[in-house]
Amino acid sequence: DGLGIAGRRFTPAELQSYVQRRLQLPPHMAADSLQPPNEPVELVFDDAEPVRLILADGRAELVLAFRELTFGKKRFEQFKVHAFYLPVTDGIEAHLVRDGGLQIEGRMRTASRIRLHGVFTQVLNIDRPVPLLKLPPAGEPRLDGLMVTQLVLTDGWLGLAIGPDTAGPASGVAGAGALRTATVGRYLR
């Protein structure tokens, strides 16, 4: 709701610029690898819950709800796109990486569903992870010897902990850091 996109009409470039400003993202985090569409594209988000992020059972589900999408001469109405993400850690970095195919929810013909899959597979590219941490520049001495030790997504919460890299340079075990991974699991009650 904080994005303020409910019911609004955007071109892809306008949406990218708007979200970048609203989330105060640096330019290098923008989706600059997207190819501009060959045909005119406009999208109108749904009035109710245009963007929803569900954190449960160790993964994140992104749901984008649209009232309308026009792509060239094609028009698609009242549909949702579901994308699933898994948490991945690498030392001091934590990302969400898309897991599996997209799901398109809505009443439409198979050809329309295939076309939407093609469009949103490019937009929510599996090779473009979503960073969870905004880190200082590389080589920041305050981060030496630290790693993500826990990353848990459950019951609407994302829990992330940073702690000492027990297999880092201080341990004297060369390459052992690669054997340690963050706990990615379900909270038990």
Side-chain angles (χ1 to χ4, degrees):
D1 289 341
L3 280 175
I5 61 174
R8 294 193 53 188
R9 181 177 300 271
F10 294 97
T11 66
E14 291 168 343
L15 179 61
Q16 179 179 338
S17 176
Y18 179 81
V19 170
Q20 187 176 353
R21 280 192 317 272
R22 290 289 292 191
L23 297 180
Q24 299 177 356
L25 297 174
H28 73 275
M29 288 185 68
D32 53 1
S33 60
L34 286 179
Q35 297 296 321
N38 296 333
E39 305 173 82
V41 176
E42 284 193 337
L43 41 102
V44 181
F45 284 93
D46 200 47
D47 294 324
E49 288 192 314
V51 177
R52 187 170 182 207
L53 186 63
I54 303 163
L55 305 173
D57 301 323
R59 70 180 187 169
E61 178 183 359
L62 175 66
V63 182
L64 302 173
F66 295 93
R67 183 182 338 146
E68 177 184 319
L69 170 76
T70 56
F71 190 82
K73 295 181 181 181
K74 295 283 185 183
R75 181 176 167 172
F76 307 92
E77 294 180 323
Q78 300 298 325
F79 68 94
K80 293 181 181 180
V81 178
H82 298 259
F84 300 92
Y85 292 83
L86 292 176
V88 175
T89 63
D90 181 18
I92 193 68
E93 296 183 8
H95 303 281
L96 292 177
V97 177
R98 206 182 92 212
D99 180 42
L102 301 173
Q103 296 178 4
I104 307 293
E105 176 186 345
R107 295 188 64 186
M108 64 187 70
R109 296 177 180 263
T110 302
S112 296
R113 194 173 304 277
I114 290 170
R115 182 96 188 240
L116 286 175
H117 268 279
V119 169
F120 284 98
T121 296
Q122 288 181 342
V123 174
L124 302 172
N125 192 318
I126 203 162
D127 295 325
R128 196 176 321 119
V130 178
L132 293 175
L133 292 175
K134 182 179 179 182
L135 296 174
E140 171 62 47
R142 294 177 294 174
L143 298 178
D144 287 347
L146 294 178
M147 67 178 285
V148 175
T149 57
Q150 288 185 330
L151 179 54
V152 179
L153 284 73
T154 190
D155 295 329
W157 291 88
L158 183 148
L160 185 136
I162 296 174
D165 183 353
T166 58
S171 71
V173 181
L179 298 176
R180 177 164 173 164
T181 59
T183 301
V184 180
R186 187 166 166 79
Y187 174 76
L188 301 176
R189 294 177 216 192

